[in-house]
């Protein structure tokens, strides 16, 4: 089936390029020996929720820790000798930066990567180690993007867009070909969407070979530009996208992937921050996989509405480059969302042994104290009062209720 997508007017009358299954297959040949054919791991827990087999496509185990190297390599490999000599430039807070740096290094092309000044240090260090010259500029990615584009205009370096180019999309589409090879019985593929390059590439490959397979995109609710764009029939921008999932924190769909997603992706769903946190925690605990919030977005969609997905299901874990500090905060948030982390405040009489008595109550109900703050000198407190703030590890929502009940029965006033 020769399915081609594109070939119609883009912004200001520009012609959008066509992307075909042949393009994706050519990209797959080009990536042989460069990118890994990442594992497809089954998940018994998610399969039980969905009521059908669920598999995890582990692009978090890809070189550089995400799928981005696929598209970056195909894009840079397609440059002319003169363009290669001029070097390439990109802007990214993490995954695209590392993908471009490695791809350019493998192809012997000089690369400059602009990153925000607040980019996580491990990602900055990794990008440098892959061979790029890193320049920290701008407080947010939009400012960094402007700096990279200005650099391209000034120096003649080729700007490598993270998602809005047919070569990028073709490279990402190789994930779809691998899924069909590894799980030929698949009925639904769930994939996170930021700018749309990965979802578009997968959709081109999968729908050409298996039009019966549903492709479902997932966005973070605070950065969901695709639902209003699809409703308007054109890419529209959202103001100040906000989400912990920086890998899909994009304020406007790309023109090229938008057309493909509108034509071929069956549904775009949104997930909350709580659902993202719970999904990241589940990947770590149940699948033993380190996944960044954006990579966990398909799992979040499965957790939020497991019965709407026809199986077998493949959820694409798009990346695993999570900053350790963000991981710590996200895991704590995920534990709270799952009812396994409880924070509360209460007041007690300021006398010797009062804190020990409180801890005895918690011990009886088997609540693990992670942190305790004991305040005795605060203008809000009475002369004989002290305030205690507790952070507890619990066993789930029912155990949280049990802890609260035990404290109240012991005479404490609990302030969550």
């Amino acid at each position: 089936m020769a399915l081609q997508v594109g070939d119609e007017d883009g912004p200001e009358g520009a012609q959008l390029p066509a992307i075909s299954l042949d393009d994706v297959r050519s990209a797959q040949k080009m990536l042989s020996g460069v990118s890994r054919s990442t594992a497809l791991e089954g998940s018994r827990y998610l399969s039980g929720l969905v009521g059908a087999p669920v598999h995890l496509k582990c692009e978090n185990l890809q070189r550089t820790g995400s799928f981005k190297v696929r598209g970056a390599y195909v894009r840079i490999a397609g440059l002319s000798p003169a363009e290669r000599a001029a070097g390439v430039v990109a802007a990214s807070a993490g995954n695209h930066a590392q993908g471009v740096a490695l791809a350019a290094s493998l192809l012997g092309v000089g690369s400059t990567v602009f990153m925000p000044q607040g980019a996580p240090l491990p990602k900055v260090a990794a990008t440098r180690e892959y061979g790029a010259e890193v320049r920290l500029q701008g407080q947010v990615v939009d400012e960094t993007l402007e700096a990279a584009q200005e650099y391209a205009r000034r120096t003649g370096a080729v700007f490598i867009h993270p998602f809005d180019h047919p070569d990028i999309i073709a490279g990402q589409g190789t994930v779809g070909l691998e899924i069909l090879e590894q799980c030929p019985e698949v009925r639904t593929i769930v994939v996170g969407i930021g700018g749309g390059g990965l979802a578009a590439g997968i959709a081109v490959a999968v729908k050409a070979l298996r039009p019966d397979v549903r492709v479902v995109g997932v966005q973070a609710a605070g950065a969901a530009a695709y639902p209003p764009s699809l409703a308007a029939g054109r890419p529209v921008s959202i103001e100040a996208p906000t989400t912990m999932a920086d890998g899909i924190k994009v304020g406007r769909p790309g023109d090229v992937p938008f057309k493909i997603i509108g034509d071929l992706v069956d549904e775009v769903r949104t997930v909350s921050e709580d659902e993202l946190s719970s999904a990241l925690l589940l990947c770590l605990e149940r699948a033993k996989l380190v996944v960044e919030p954006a990579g966990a977005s398909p799992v979040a969609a499965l957790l939020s509405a497991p019965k709407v997905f026809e199986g077998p299901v493949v959820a694409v874990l798009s990346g695993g480059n999570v900053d350790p500090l963000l991981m710590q905060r996200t895991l704590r948030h995920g534990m709270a969302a799952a009812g396994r982390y409880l924070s509360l405040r209460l007041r007690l009489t300021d006398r010797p042994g009062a804190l020990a008595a409180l801890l005895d109550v918690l011990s009886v109900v088997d609540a693990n104290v992670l942190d305790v703050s004991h305040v005795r000198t605060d203008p809000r407190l009475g002369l004989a009062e002290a305030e205690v703030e507790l952070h507890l590890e619990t066993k789930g929502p029912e155990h949280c209720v049990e802890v609260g009940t035990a404290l109240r029965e012991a005479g404490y006033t609990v302030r969550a």
Side-chain angles (χ1 to χ4, degrees):
M1 177 178 179
L3 173 65
Q4 286 197 324
V5 181
D7 284 340
E8 71 173 50
D9 288 344
E12 300 180 0
Q15 194 82 354
L16 291 178
I19 303 170
S20 70
L21 174 62
D22 287 342
D23 295 323
V24 181
R25 283 178 166 158
S26 295
Q28 189 176 45
K29 292 179 182 178
M30 190 179 296
L31 288 168
S32 177
V34 176
S35 65
R36 296 172 181 152
S37 179
T38 51
L40 200 68
E41 298 286 347
S43 171
R44 285 193 298 173
Y45 181 80
L46 290 172
S47 297
L49 290 181
V50 172
V54 174
H55 306 280
L56 306 176
K57 177 62 172 168
C58 299
E59 283 296 290
N60 59 309
L61 303 180
Q62 183 58 261
R63 297 183 71 174
T64 75
S66 87
F67 69 96
K68 288 288 190 177
V69 68
R70 297 174 183 262
Y73 188 90
V74 173
R75 173 75 173 100
I76 298 171
L79 298 178
S80 68
E83 289 172 326
R84 291 194 187 195
V88 298
V89 61
S92 168
N95 289 348
H96 182 59
Q98 294 173 66
V100 168
L102 176 60
S105 179
L106 292 173
L107 290 163
V109 177
S111 63
T112 302
V113 176
F114 285 78
M115 303 181 76
Q117 292 178 359
L121 293 179
K123 294 185 178 182
V124 175
T127 304
R128 287 194 173 115
E129 288 169 7
Y130 285 126
E133 177 189 346
V134 175
R135 300 192 180 191
L136 301 178
Q137 191 162 338
Q139 298 299 321
V140 295
V141 174
D142 286 345
E143 295 174 359
T144 305
L145 183 64
E146 291 177 7
Q149 291 173 326
E150 169 57 29
Y151 178 89
R153 288 190 291 269
R154 179 166 46 84
T155 66
V158 179
F159 179 67
I160 307 298
H161 199 283
F163 50 81
D164 206 10
H165 192 279
D167 289 346
I168 295 286
I169 294 170
Q172 320 306 27
T174 60
V175 176
L177 293 181
E178 288 178 16
I179 290 172
L180 294 182
E181 292 165 2
Q182 294 169 316
C183 186
E185 68 277 15
V186 64
R187 298 293 300 167
T188 306
I189 297 173
V190 190
V191 55
I193 296 181
L198 177 61
I202 288 174
V204 167
V206 170
K207 291 294 187 177
L209 295 168
R210 287 280 306 282
D212 58 304
V213 173
R214 282 179 58 81
V215 179
V216 178
V218 183
Q219 292 207 288
Y226 265 87
S229 296
L230 292 170
R234 59 181 175 80
V236 298
S237 300
I238 58 171
E239 293 186 6
T242 304
T243 177
M244 71 176 76
D246 58 353
I248 53 174
K249 185 180 176 183
V250 178
R252 182 187 183 279
D255 293 309
V256 181
F258 174 77
K259 169 59 181 169
I260 298 171
I261 288 172
D263 287 346
L264 300 181
V265 171
D266 297 280
E267 181 185 6
V268 176
R269 304 179 68 88
T270 61
V271 293
S272 69
E273 299 298 284
D274 282 352
E275 288 162 346
L276 286 168
S277 297
S278 297
L280 189 147
L281 181 62
L282 184 143
C283 288
L284 186 63
E285 284 193 324
R286 299 293 183 123
K288 314 305 179 192
L289 293 169
V290 176
V291 182
E292 62 189 274
S297 59
V299 175
L302 294 176
L303 291 176
S304 67
K307 299 304 180 184
V308 306
F309 297 94
E310 181 184 0
V313 177
V314 173
V316 181
L317 307 183
S318 57
N321 291 318
V322 58
D323 178 63
L325 294 177
L326 175 62
M327 171 72 86
Q328 185 180 40
R329 294 195 302 270
T330 305
L331 289 179
R332 178 172 287 190
H333 191 81
M335 289 180 69
R340 293 174 48 201
Y341 184 87
L342 180 62
S343 297
L344 49 85
R345 291 181 296 114
L346 46 84
R347 290 188 183 182
L348 43 77
T349 303
D350 187 15
R351 59 176 176 77
L355 181 58
L358 169 62
L359 297 178
D360 282 343
V361 174
L362 296 173
S363 177
V364 169
V365 292
D366 203 24
N368 186 30
V369 179
L370 299 176
D371 189 30
V372 58
S373 175
H374 189 203
V375 179
R376 303 172 66 189
T377 55
D378 190 300
R380 297 172 301 146
L381 299 174
L383 186 62
E385 283 186 323
E387 184 173 82
V388 175
E389 182 175 350
L390 295 164
H391 300 281
L392 309 173
E393 182 182 2
T394 55
K395 300 173 184 177
E398 293 181 0
H399 192 209
C400 289
V401 173
E402 182 184 350
V403 170
T405 300
L407 289 171
R408 292 183 181 91
E409 289 178 349
Y412 297 103
T413 301
V414 178
R415 306 180 184 201

